[in-house]
């Protein structure tokens, strides 16, 4: 493009390659695919990579209230022993509960 | 069960650290479970408590968080209840749910654990099983 703009008068050969304003040379199939498919796809890929990297890319679930939670339960700290019957009743147990 | 993980490794480390810090600061045992709850969470909590605690004199606190049901339950043994009264547990739940309601599960859990540990305070000297159990604390000499 630039040589075509710099060259005045259309005396050079590469000017003829792109034609002129009134009669542009037709693009080949490869050029069309490159311009209208490969470049947009490449941009899309770059944006997707940026979004993935910014999110951390750790694959962790992004919890929002109201979204379902379909994971196996996880324990932290002390955990119950694998037995069916409780050791004994726990009268006077305290605590509180809440919802959001 | 589902594709992906519930928490990242970094989030798991934060939760582990919060639970461990609460245990070492108070001498109580904390059990945190993140997952689905039964239709009767209180009963489920007491049942789990009985499976964890040796008896009512052992200080154990069970915290059940169910993001799917949007419910959180704290159950404590009588010994733990003397250190963490029910109204204090209710306050810890309030601060947890305020984080949960904006989608910050890990932050809510960490805050709740810290608050429970603050209320319980350090263990009484009679409860310290071995000298040096509390780091940096010097036992009084007779």
């Amino acid at each position: 493009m630039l040589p075509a703009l710099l060259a005045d008068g259309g005396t050079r050969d590469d000017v003829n390659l792109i034609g002129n304003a009134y009669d542009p040379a037709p693009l080949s199939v490869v050029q069309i695919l490159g311009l209208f498919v490969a470049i947009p796809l490449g941009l899309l890929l770059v944006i997707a990579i940026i979004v993935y990297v910014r999110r951390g890319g750790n694959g962790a679930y992004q919890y929002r209230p109201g979204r379902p939670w379909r994971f196996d339960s996880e324990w932290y700290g002390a955990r119950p022993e694998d037995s069916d019957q409780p050791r004994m009743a726990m009268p006077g147990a305290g605590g509180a509960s809440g919802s959001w | 069960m589902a594709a992906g993980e519930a928490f990242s490794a970094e989030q798991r480390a934060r939760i582990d650290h919060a639970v461990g810090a609460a245990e070492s600061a108070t001498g109580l045992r904390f059990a945190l479970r993140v997952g689905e709850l039964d239709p009767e969470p209180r009963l489920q909590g007491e049942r789990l408590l009985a499976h964890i605690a040796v008896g009512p004199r052992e200080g154990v606190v069970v915290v059940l968080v169910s993001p799917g049901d949007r419910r959180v339950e704290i159950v404590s043994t009588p010994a733990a209840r003397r250190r963490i009264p029910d109204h204090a547990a209710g306050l810890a739940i309030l601060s947890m749910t305020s984080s949960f309601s904006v989608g910050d599960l890990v932050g809510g859990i960490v805050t709740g654990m810290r608050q429970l540990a603050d209320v319980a305070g350090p263990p009484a000297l009679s409860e310290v099983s071995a000298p040096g159990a509390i780091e940096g604390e010097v036992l009084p000499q007779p």
Side-chain angles (χ1 to χ4, degrees):
Chain A
M1 184 64 91
L2 201 58
L5 290 175
L6 291 175
D8 51 348
T11 53
R12 290 170 56 177
D13 285 345
D14 51 354
V15 175
N16 296 328
L17 284 176
I18 63 167
N20 57 52
Y22 306 103
D23 183 22
L27 293 170
S28 72
V29 175
V30 177
Q31 284 173 318
I32 292 171
L33 286 178
L35 265 177
F36 298 109
V37 179
I39 291 175
L41 277 181
L43 279 175
L44 209 69
L45 199 70
V46 168
I47 292 168
I49 288 171
I50 290 171
V51 169
Y52 183 79
V53 167
R54 280 174 64 98
R55 197 194 279 173
N58 47 35
Y61 183 71
Q62 300 284 313
Y63 173 73
R64 291 284 176 272
R67 284 182 74 181
W69 185 264
R70 297 195 196 91
F71 299 100
D72 292 327
S73 57
E74 294 188 16
W75 281 95
Y76 297 89
R79 58 185 66 209
E81 291 172 3
D82 293 327
S83 72
D84 284 337
Q85 69 254 27
R87 283 202 180 100
M88 58 183 299
M90 197 65 72
S97 67
S99 55
W100 71 90
Chain B
M1 203 185 283
E5 293 283 328
F7 297 114
S8 68
E10 190 253 337
Q11 289 174 322
R12 280 206 177 84
R14 279 182 65 200
I15 299 174
D16 264 331
H17 182 261
V19 176
E23 288 191 330
S24 60
T26 61
L28 299 171
R29 285 170 72 205
F30 284 84
L32 168 71
R33 180 184 182 273
V34 184
E36 276 183 43
L37 287 174
D38 287 348
E40 290 183 73
R42 175 74 195 175
L43 199 64
Q44 184 187 11
E46 288 188 18
R47 210 172 287 145
L48 289 168
L49 192 67
H51 273 95
I52 296 170
V54 179
R57 300 181 67 178
E58 191 189 0
V60 178
V61 181
V62 173
V63 182
L64 307 174
V65 178
S66 175
D69 304 315
R70 286 192 262 175
R71 243 190 110 79
V72 56
E73 190 85 28
I74 295 178
V75 191
S76 53
T77 58
R81 191 185 192 182
R82 277 197 293 276
R83 312 246 320 258
I84 305 172
D86 290 353
H87 67 87
L91 285 176
I93 279 189
L94 266 184
S95 54
M96 288 169 94
T97 52
S98 60
S99 287
F100 294 159
S101 60
V102 292
D104 187 8
L105 280 182
V106 180
I109 289 169
V110 170
T111 311
M113 285 293 158
R114 195 175 297 150
Q115 203 163 330
L116 289 173
D118 282 348
V119 172
L125 285 177
S126 58
E127 292 176 25
V128 179
S129 51
I134 316 170
E135 278 177 38
E137 186 159 333
V138 180
L139 294 173
Q141 297 297 318

